[in-house]
């Protein structure tokens, strides 16, 4: 018998839709140098203007004009000129936002490094530590425990309600659906202090409960509920309608379709919505300040007595006109920033997963 050789499939050739990066960077760099030089001459000799902010804003405007002219002369196309200028504007906005975030995180880390470099800062409390005591003593352990417990309770309370609301909005045709959607969208815009006032008036003043971590968790859940509900509604509406129709054609009921088709397809997006909701409330101070109270003692029981949290720790210690207290506040703030960044990274990773993609463990 003659062996048959099967040729390997040839990878399709990628078509480049835009010029190389070097070809795009050279005109931009030359235009930036020319714009800075021209604005510098104008500021020095012709215009009675001063100030670094005005200089750089004028230089950026001149750069856009010069770059637009260079691209128009080199390409001879008005559409190419508009596309390149829009690309530069959007890239500048993204770079500016990234720079601001890096500066905020870096400043917080540098300002709180005196406390962050001590391991005891993460495993000790400030129950026996004063604001003037050395940074080796006292830490954020009680605040971290309170934050984790409050966020966990808020998640357990708000996520089932938010997912149920999202399923009602996207999978049913109830008469109150429009009204519920308006209420959810309105709640996403209310100030966070109103959530704390609501729980303070209902739970503490009306029913006579004392200030505790549970009250703070309920206030956070009020604020977290509309965020998760709205994001989950958007995710569920992105599920292709053909999948639902195929499930109905096979004889599945509406609940079976939601359980076996819609939710598994939108699972990654729903997890992202939940994590974004957690990241939204983990740094809230106003509602926690009203209903949680303040204490330096470690309190594992969120239902009894005041309970500390990281935002409340920062708010309390940054008010002291003492360097060590302010350093502790910045250390706690950096810890909170790291927690939020980790949650957003997890949400981004889960959001990039395709609907049919499985975890490696399940594949094995």
């Amino acid at each position: 018998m003659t062996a048959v050789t099967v040729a390997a499939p040839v990878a399709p050739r990628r078509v480049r839709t835009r010029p190389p990066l070097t070809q795009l960077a050279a005109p931009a760099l030359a235009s930036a140098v020319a714009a800075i030089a021209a604005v510098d001459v104008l500021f020095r000799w012709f215009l009675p203007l001063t100030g670094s902010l005005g200089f750089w804003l004028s230089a950026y405007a001149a750069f856009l004009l010069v770059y637009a002219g260079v691209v128009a002369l080199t390409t001879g196309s008005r559409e190419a000129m508009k596309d390149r200028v829009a690309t530069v504007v959007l890239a500048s906005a993204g770079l500016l936002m990234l720079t601001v975030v890096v500066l905020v995180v870096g400043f917080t880390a540098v300002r709180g490094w005196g406390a962050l470099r001590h391991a005891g800062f993460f495993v000790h409390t400030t129950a026996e530590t004063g604001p003037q005591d050395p940074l080796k003593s006292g830490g954020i352990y009680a605040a971290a425990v309170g934050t984790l417990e409050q966020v966990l309770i808020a998640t357990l309370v708000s996520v089932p309600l938010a997912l149920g609301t999202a399923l009602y909005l996207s999978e049913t045709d109830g008469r109150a659906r429009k009204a519920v959607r308006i209420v959810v969208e309105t709640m996403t815009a209310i100030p966070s202090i109103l959530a704390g006032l609501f729980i303070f008036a209902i739970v503490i003043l009306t029913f006579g409960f004392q200030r505790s971590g549970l009250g703070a968790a309920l206030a956070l859940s009020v604020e977290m509920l509309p965020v998760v509900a709205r994001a989950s509604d958007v995710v569920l509406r992105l599920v292709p309608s053909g999948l639902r129709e195929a499930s109905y054609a096979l004889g599945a009921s509406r609940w079976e379709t939601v359980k076996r088709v819609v939710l598994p397809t939108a699972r990654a997006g729903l997890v992202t919505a939940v994590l974004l909701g957690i990241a939204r409330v983990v740094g809230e101070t106003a509602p926690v300040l009203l209903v949680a109270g303040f204490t330096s003692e470690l309190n594992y029981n969120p239902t009894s007595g005041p309970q500390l949290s990281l935002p409340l720790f920062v708010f309390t210690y940054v008010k002291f006109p003492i360097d060590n207290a302010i350093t502790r506040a910045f250390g706690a703030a950096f810890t909170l920033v790291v927690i939020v960044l980790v949650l957003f990274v997890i949400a981004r990773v889960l959001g990039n997963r395709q609907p049919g993609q499985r975890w490696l463990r399940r594949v094995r």
Side-chain angles (χ1 to χ4, degrees), residues 165-180:
T165 303
L167 288 174
Y168 174 76
L169 294 176
S170 62
E171 302 298 326
T172 65
D173 52 357
R175 296 180 179 179
R177 185 175 59 176
K178 185 176 181 180
V180 172

Side-chain angles (χ1 to χ4, degrees), residues 60 84-98:
Y60 183 74
R84 300 278 183 86
V85 172
T87 302
V88 168
V89 171
L90 295 178
S92 302
L95 182 61
L96 178 62
M97 184 173 60
L98 179 62

Side-chain angles (χ1 to χ4, degrees), residues 143-160 213-222 224-225 228 274-284 288 302 307-311 336 339-340 343:
V145 170
T147 297
L148 293 177
E149 290 185 352
Q150 293 169 15
V151 172
L152 178 60
I153 295 174
T155 303
L156 295 177
V157 172
S158 61
V159 169
L214 180 60
L218 294 177
L220 295 180
S221 64
V222 171
M224 182 179 175
L225 175 61
V228 180
V274 173
L275 291 177
L276 291 178
I278 295 174
R280 172 66 177 82
V281 302
V282 71
E284 288 294 340
V288 177
Q307 190 178 49
L308 190 61
S309 64
L310 285 174
L336 195 60
I339 293 174
V340 174
L343 290 176

Side-chain angles (χ1 to χ4, degrees), residues 61 79 89 93 98 121 129 146 163 165 215 230 239 268 277 299 322 344 363:
E79 298 299 328
V89 171
L98 179 62
F121 181 70
T129 302
L163 293 182
T165 303
R230 187 175 182 181
V239 176
N299 184 9
I322 303 171
F344 273 104
V363 174

Side-chain angles (χ1 to χ4, degrees), residues 213-262:
L214 180 60
L218 294 177
L220 295 180
S221 64
V222 171
E223 189 175 358
M224 182 179 175
L225 175 61
V227 177
V228 180
R230 187 175 182 181
S232 301
D233 178 34
V234 173
V235 171
L236 292 174
R237 283 188 290 172
L238 292 177
V239 176
S241 58
L243 297 178
R244 297 182 178 89
E245 295 173 358
S247 178
Y248 294 147
L250 293 176
S253 63
R254 175 175 293 183
W255 166 245
E256 291 176 341
T257 301
V258 171
K259 179 181 178 181
R260 300 181 181 275
V261 177
V262 177

Side-chain angles (χ1 to χ4, degrees), residues 145 149 153 210-214 298-307:
V145 170
E149 290 185 352
I153 295 174
Q210 60 179 344
R211 294 186 178 186
S212 61
L214 180 60
L298 177 60
N299 184 9
Y300 284 107
N301 186 4
T303 62
S304 176
Q307 190 178 49

